[in-house]
Amino acid sequence: LGAGPCPAQVPVALEVAQLCALAAVFLSVLGVATALFQGRLDRLRVYFASAATVIVDIDDDAVPMVIAVARSQGRGATLAVLTDSPDRPCVAEARNAGARIVTVDFSRPESVTGLRAWRGLQRLYLLSSDPSANLSRLATITPAVRNAGAGQRIPLIVRIDDPWQAVSWRARQFGGTDTGW
């Protein structure tokens, strides 16, 4: 050992193994960083989106609708899902379908209205299973969309599972007035 390492030249297999180990460590650190900052990256993508479709509060029953909306998106459009609990399996399915997940606090309206997605809004889906929550969120979002300067009418889907309540709300909401929706 006084003359140097046992083989005079390091075998190529050891060099390849060393490079693979370094690459594995680097990729795992990169994967962990991406997982930690996924929410921030999604928020940035929604922030810079020129055309956005926004889905507010999904559950397990709404996942097929989210997947269908994701498939119908154009190339430059961004699909944003606003939720207050991003750890649910239905939110993970929406992310796998290509949606950007933005965590908001629905009890604080400014966390919803302060988003920049309203300026490029193309379509709005309110898909909570609670119809009163959907209607209160629509009342919160409408001024934000108007302040963002949406000049054209925007397609709106509101989930109301009771057909009688849906017909009644539709008649009250759109009975002769121009709401922009």
Side-chain angles (χ1 to χ4, degrees):
L1 291 179
C6 192
Q9 193 142 357
V10 177
V12 175
L14 287 177
E15 289 180 5
V16 170
Q18 181 182 13
L19 287 175
C20 287
L22 286 173
V25 168
F26 176 73
L27 289 175
S28 64
V29 168
L30 188 65
V32 168
T34 302
L36 285 175
F37 295 111
Q38 185 70 40
R40 293 293 176 192
L41 291 173
D42 284 349
R43 192 174 277 273
L44 273 174
R45 287 180 180 158
V46 170
Y47 182 83
F48 288 114
S50 60
T53 297
V54 178
I55 298 176
V56 180
D57 199 19
I58 62 171
D59 61 1
D60 292 331
D61 293 335
V63 170
M65 180 93 162
V66 173
I67 292 171
V69 170
R71 286 183 185 152
S72 71
Q73 289 289 306
R75 268 215 169 303
T78 300
L79 176 60
V81 173
L82 306 184
T83 184
D84 58 351
S85 52
D87 298 330
R88 293 182 298 169
C90 59
V91 175
E93 287 182 51
R95 184 185 302 272
N96 290 339
R100 304 293 168 218
I101 308 302
V102 178
T103 304
V104 295
D105 184 6
F106 289 124
S107 63
R108 292 182 28 236
E110 65 272 2
S111 72
V112 176
T113 60
L115 294 175
R116 209 124 167 231
W118 306 125
R119 73 182 152 77
L121 185 65
Q122 298 293 315
R123 294 183 284 178
L124 177 64
Y125 295 83
L126 300 167
L127 299 181
S128 174
S129 60
D130 181 15
S132 62
N134 286 334
L135 299 179
S136 68
R137 290 173 187 155
L138 178 62
T140 302
I141 291 170
T142 299
V145 172
R146 285 192 187 128
N147 291 341
Q152 79 269 7
R153 296 175 66 83
I154 298 172
L156 168 69
I157 303 292
V158 179
R159 178 181 172 186
I160 301 175
D161 293 335
D162 180 20
W164 292 102
Q165 186 180 8
V167 169
S168 171
W169 176 78
R170 200 175 304 121
R172 277 193 327 263
Q173 183 74 18
F174 301 111
T177 61
D178 184 19
T179 60
W181 295 111

